[in-house]
Amino acid sequence: MSKNIISMKNINKFYDDFHVLKDINFEVAKGEIVVVCGPSGSGKSTLIRCINALEDIDEGDIIVDGLDIHQNSKNLKQIRAEVGMVFQHFNLFPHLSILENITLAQNLVKNRSKQEARDIAVSLLKKVRLEDKADAYPADLSGGQKQRVAIARSLAMKPKVMLFDEPTSALDPETIGDVLSVMKDLAKENYTIVCVTHEMGFAKEVGDRIIFMDEGRIVEQNTPNEFFHNPKSDRAKQFLNEILTH
């Protein structure tokens, strides 16, 4: 039995004539924290969205926790219940309170009782340091607070994998630190995490492995120490020079 919880083999994806993912082979071990970085338009977000079939692929196989998610729609439903996804733009329900946002899927997907779902939601709001916002609505919160609620909502499903798609890119600079702090806490708790981000400090501190993408390909992958101090490809050297000098 493979220790990899995510396995993507020979993945190709097109948007009409545009070849957005090119021969991707990508594996993530259980408990591993993988940071995916690269320039805009390199295919990072598409890669992560393929893991739980928010994007379809044209060629290849994706196995998540032993299930092929592109061959069987029943598998897809099960995987979506086990793979948490935190988006760039929060995707909270504006007409529901923060507590209701976190309990809704627990009731509908996990069939938990209202009390059990509420207890889990309250404990997770404490975890993301927003216990005083349970009765507030999304419009009452800052972007950083909304993102922490989105993380709590994903955690409420007790996922085996957490996917983060540029979770801080839509935030004001002063709120980014609070979100990264919560993500660092998760990293210490043995979650399997795949995170697309431009936050290189977070990548250095938390990542077990860095994946660098450009033009739809995985150009380089290595430990954070090796990637940042001894990049192998000219493209990675150029990227790091640009991003670390701004």
Side-chain angles (χ1 to χ4, degrees):
M1 185 72 179
S2 170
K3 64 172 185 155
N4 291 318
I5 196 165
I6 299 168
S7 180
M8 304 176 79
K9 296 188 188 308
N10 306 317
I11 302 300
N12 283 281
K13 176 172 175 58
F14 295 83
Y15 292 132
D16 296 323
D17 293 333
F18 180 57
H19 197 174
V20 63
L21 293 178
K22 303 172 183 174
D23 302 315
I24 295 292
N25 288 281
F26 175 65
E27 295 182 329
V28 181
K30 189 173 183 181
E32 189 179 19
I33 299 162
V34 178
V35 176
V36 183
C37 64
S40 296
S42 59
K44 309 181 299 293
S45 289
T46 304
L47 171 76
I48 201 172
R49 289 170 66 87
C50 287
I51 292 173
N52 61 354
L54 291 173
E55 298 273 4
D56 288 328
I57 58 173
D58 294 296
E59 295 175 10
D61 293 295
I62 300 179
I63 311 295
V64 180
D65 198 24
L67 299 175
D68 189 323
I69 63 173
H70 284 270
Q71 299 301 321
N72 189 325
S73 58
K74 291 179 184 173
N75 289 347
L76 178 58
K77 185 177 179 184
Q78 182 178 340
I79 287 303
R80 283 201 175 145
E82 295 180 356
V83 177
M85 182 93 181
V86 177
F87 300 90
Q88 191 172 343
H89 292 291
F90 329 127
N91 293 6
L92 300 178
F93 294 108
H95 62 290
L96 298 181
S97 72
I98 297 310
L99 196 68
E100 290 166 338
N101 263 282
I102 300 174
T103 57
L104 181 65
Q106 295 188 66
N107 299 142
L108 295 178
V109 179
K110 293 290 190 180
N111 296 316
R112 293 175 186 150
S113 69
K114 286 188 175 181
Q115 188 58 52
E116 183 186 6
R118 181 185 173 84
D119 289 345
I120 290 170
V122 168
S123 71
L124 287 169
L125 282 172
K126 286 181 183 171
K127 187 185 196 72
V128 299
R129 301 184 278 282
L130 288 172
E131 58 266 39
D132 58 332
K133 301 294 185 183
D135 297 322
Y137 285 79
D140 303 323
L141 272 56
S142 71
Q145 290 171 327
K146 289 176 191 173
Q147 194 61 291
R148 284 186 276 157
V149 172
I151 293 171
R153 180 181 58 185
S154 286
L155 292 175
M157 304 301 284
K158 305 216 168 150
K160 294 181 178 179
V161 177
M162 284 288 287
L163 307 176
F164 292 89
D165 187 8
E166 302 203 24
T168 60
S169 63
L171 303 181
D172 294 328
E174 64 267 25
T175 64
I176 288 173
D178 291 333
V179 173
L180 292 177
S181 178
V182 168
M183 292 171 65
K184 287 173 188 174
D185 289 344
L186 297 182
K188 295 171 188 169
E189 294 176 29
N190 210 32
Y191 278 93
T192 303
I193 295 173
V194 182
C195 179
V196 173
T197 186
H198 292 289
E199 297 292 335
M200 294 297 100
F202 174 81
K204 276 184 188 176
E205 183 179 345
V206 175
D208 294 314
R209 182 159 48 107
I210 308 291
I211 301 287
F212 174 70
M213 293 186 68
D214 187 43
E215 297 184 348
R217 297 185 188 278
I218 294 176
V219 175
E220 187 166 334
Q221 53 182 310
N222 218 322
T223 63
N225 189 55
E226 278 294 302
F227 178 73
F228 285 105
H229 295 106
N230 189 26
K232 301 293 187 288
S233 64
D234 289 340
R235 186 64 187 92
K237 290 173 187 173
Q238 180 189 359
F239 172 78
L240 287 169
N241 187 52
E242 289 175 3
I243 203 166
L244 296 175
T245 53
H246 283 77

